[in-house]
Amino acid sequence: MGICVGLQGLFEGSEESPDTKGLGIVPGNLKLFDSTEKSVPHIGWNSASTTQVPELTGKSLYGLKPTNKYYYVHSYAAPYESGQLDGWQVATGKYGKETFIGAISKDNIFATQFHPEKSGQAGLDVLQAFLEGKRLQDLDQVTSNTPSTSPSNGLTRRVIACLDVRTNDDGDLVVTKGDQYDVREKSTTSTSAGGGGQIRNLGKPVDLAKRYYEDGADEVTFLNITSFRNCPVADTPMLEVLRQTSKTVFVPLTIGGGIRDVVDTDGTKISALDVATMYFKSGADKVSIGSDAVLVAEEYYANNKQLSGTSAIEQISRAYGNQAVVVSIDPKRIYVTSPNATKHKTIKTVHSGPNGEEYAWYQCTIKGGREGRDVEVTELAQAVEMMGCGEILLNCIDKDGTNSGFDFELIRLVKEAVRIPVIASSGAGNPQHFLEVFKQTTTDAALGAGMVRVFS
Ligand code: 1PR
């Protein structure tokens, strides 16, 4: 059984590396998805349907169910036309106008382009069927069901649960939540070094991640918002959080915070790639880079858009593929009276500023929003796309923790600027806000963090 690149290797070759031969067990070549009208990589929940194979009518191939959704993350795929692969049983997905192979089988070979180990119960059933040698079962014996929410391009739009994790004043690792990035309770009696009240505590990271998974989150993201400066990198508590979480959570896990070149407590230099490798080995599927991305984008523009080849984004995407690298952007609105009042790209906003300003630009920040830089949000998004980032996690400091809905103007601006998927973040307060952002923008996914405070 092959999974993802394990399926791709069975083919004769791939546009990804034209000089490298595949095993040639399955005839045909893999092609890069067309990104003219859709985001690439293809990330998210899509079908693996056997409905076009007459001999599989009423049957399930290794637990696959045409109505189920499975988790895919890839840029190259095997295009499929009916009748093209004589003797092979094929399950397909559709992305925009392109039909591609989602799973393929013949004799004792089975391969999936999607990740069954990240596809919730539906995926676990596929693995179980393979392990038990249940090649064909009656379809009605396959019970798992994934909800099929309105697909865009065949791809379901993802709902992501985010956990901002840090140590509280007692030294415990907790899930917290900021209001415009301030994670301390508003308090008049100041008890802590930060000047506000206690760090908000929503619960323990591993327990909460499991709860979100069981409640149906399509992905879980951990943002480590404290740097554990006195702790050797290999002992970072987030590594253990990932190890524990991946035992019970079978959807993709992203980890952010501190993904950069670091100097360990004993003075050893550790590259961003090595830091990311530790996280991948502990169960992360993607790493998310924040501050470092802004700083390398500044260098990129200062050097006439020359790529250095050495940035964390480039190192990690070269080794693990673009789909493994997310850039988390923390922009905030700067209001101006007219587009000429700044050199940056502005929007005309329907939410005017404190002094009635009708224009704004989005300034990128670093260090958890504490330091604004002279980089505008689409400049950053385009620079990191060039470097090999596969997805943008688009926060919005003005909206964070307000539970007042997403910033559509920001999301539209960034979606228009890049071809990679965008995750809308900040402001979700209720399920309706997710429906609205999917209706009002073309965002590929939407993320909520503080909502749990409203519903728990
Ligand atoms: O700079 O690479 O070390 O990464 C640090 C990461 O930690 C960044 O992704 C940055 O966004 C995040 N971060 C740092 N400080 C804070 C803070 O809150 N003080 N939080 C922080 C990020 C934003 C989102 C939040 C959404 C949705 N919080 O994670 O989950 O705004 O919230 P909502 O649904 O409650 O409105 P680096």
Side-chain angles (χ1 to χ4, degrees):
M1 179 180 182
I3 294 177
C4 193
V5 79
L7 170 142
Q8 301 194 350
L10 300 178
F11 284 79
E12 291 168 308
S14 169
E15 279 182 6
E16 185 168 12
S17 182
D19 298 332
T20 312
K21 276 192 178 160
L23 294 172
I25 293 169
V26 188
N29 285 281
L30 295 125
K31 292 203 157 49
L32 181 63
F33 276 122
D34 177 8
S35 65
T36 337
E37 288 174 346
K38 56 189 190 295
S39 306
V40 174
H42 169 243
I43 300 182
W45 298 74
N46 205 328
S47 310
S49 166
T50 48
T51 46
Q52 72 293 337
V53 186
E55 66 198 88
L56 291 179
T57 307
K59 296 279 177 205
S60 165
L61 179 68
Y62 288 121
L64 289 171
K65 205 171 168 185
T67 49
N68 274 353
K69 299 283 179 194
Y70 303 92
Y71 185 79
Y72 290 86
V73 48
H74 58 131
S75 300
Y76 296 82
Y80 182 72
E81 275 173 42
S82 283
Q84 164 199 342
L85 285 166
D86 213 15
W88 289 89
Q89 287 166 332
V90 171
T92 57
K94 203 155 192 273
Y95 191 32
K97 294 182 188 123
E98 299 179 83
T99 302
F100 63 93
I101 295 177
I104 189 161
S105 175
K106 183 183 183 181
D107 304 330
N108 64 344
I109 301 172
F110 179 48
T112 61
Q113 178 62 72
F114 63 86
H115 285 265
E117 78 286 10
K118 293 288 165 186
S119 300
Q121 192 55 48
L124 296 181
D125 286 351
V126 171
L127 291 174
Q128 189 74 28
F130 179 75
L131 291 173
E132 292 175 359
K134 290 188 180 157
R135 191 161 193 279
L136 293 180
Q137 307 171 66
D138 286 341
L139 203 47
D140 48 21
Q141 285 180 348
V142 182
T143 48
S144 63
N145 241 330
T146 42
S148 39
T149 46
S150 62
S152 135
N153 275 332
L155 190 64
T156 309
R157 293 162 108 184
R158 291 165 284 150
V159 174
I160 300 176
C162 179
L163 300 92
D164 291 352
V165 180
R166 61 162 290 166
T167 38
N168 65 11
D169 298 322
D170 301 325
D172 299 323
L173 202 60
V174 297
V175 177
T176 187
K177 187 54 214 112
D179 271 324
Q180 298 176 347
Y181 286 31
D182 179 1
V183 294
R184 290 186 183 274
E185 301 281 7
K186 306 246 175 314
S187 162
T188 43
T189 53
S190 166
T191 53
S192 60
Q198 295 291 317
I199 304 274
R200 275 186 209 96
N201 182 351
L202 303 189
K204 293 186 180 159
V206 179
D207 297 349
L208 262 187
K210 180 164 179 270
R211 187 174 128 198
Y212 288 147
Y213 166 65
E214 288 168 353
D215 285 352
D218 295 323
E219 286 183 38
V220 173
T221 294
F222 291 106
L223 294 178
N224 165 13
I225 69 169
T226 342
S227 43
F228 297 93
R229 283 191 196 85
N230 301 320
C231 172
V233 174
D235 297 336
T236 304
M238 292 310 292
L239 293 169
E240 190 55 23
V241 166
L242 280 167
R243 280 183 214 116
Q244 294 303 327
T245 303
S246 47
K247 286 184 187 166
T248 52
V249 174
F250 300 101
V251 289
L253 302 176
T254 302
I255 174 82
I259 313 284
R260 61 176 83 95
D261 296 337
V262 290
V263 178
D264 213 343
T265 41
D266 65 359
T268 319
K269 284 188 182 159
I270 304 185
S271 70
L273 177 59
D274 288 341
V275 173
T277 298
M278 284 183 210
Y279 284 117
F280 290 134
K281 284 190 172 164
S282 303
D285 299 284
K286 308 184 227 179
V287 292
S288 166
I289 299 174
S291 305
D292 188 70
V294 183
L295 302 176
V296 296
E298 286 176 358
E299 277 171 33
Y300 169 77
Y301 286 110
N303 292 328
N304 276 326
K305 301 193 184 175
Q306 290 294 312
L307 296 175
S308 72
T310 57
S311 67
I313 301 169
E314 288 160 283
Q315 288 178 48
I316 302 169
S317 63
R318 252 197 319 267
Y320 290 96
N322 296 18
Q323 79 295 330
V325 183
V326 180
V327 166
S328 163
I329 310 186
D330 300 314
K332 72 170 179 229
R333 276 181 175 228
I334 307 290
Y335 286 100
V336 285
T337 46
S338 82
N340 300 331
T342 170
K343 63 176 187 188
H344 294 291
K345 180 175 185 164
T346 54
I347 56 158
K348 188 165 196 312
T349 175
V350 293
H351 311 287
S352 45
N355 303 309
E357 299 94 334
E358 290 187 343
Y359 295 87
W361 67 281
Y362 287 94
Q363 181 187 35
C364 294
T365 64
I366 58 172
K367 301 180 185 164
R370 286 194 297 278
E371 188 180 323
R373 306 290 297 193
D374 197 27
V375 181
E376 183 270 332
V377 69
T378 59
E379 282 177 329
L380 176 61
Q382 288 172 338
V384 299
E385 182 176 36
M386 287 303 296
M387 289 174 205
C389 155
E391 192 172 34
I392 286 174
L393 166 50
L394 184 59
N395 301 299
C396 174
I397 296 183
D398 312 85
K399 282 284 190 177
D400 175 59
T402 60
N403 299 128
S404 61
F406 293 91
D407 184 341
F408 300 153
E409 293 176 330
L410 170 64
I411 299 160
R412 289 189 193 115
L413 180 71
V414 175
K415 270 299 292 180
E416 273 170 26
V418 292
R419 306 244 60 93
I420 51 178
V422 172
I423 304 167
S425 164
S426 304
N430 59 53
Q432 193 60 32
H433 287 147
F434 286 84
L435 293 180
E436 278 168 14
V437 75
F438 289 144
K439 221 180 260 171
Q440 300 286 335
T441 75
T442 56
T443 191
D444 302 88
L447 172 150
M451 260 174 71
V452 67
R453 264 193 298 164
V454 182
F455 285 103
S456 58

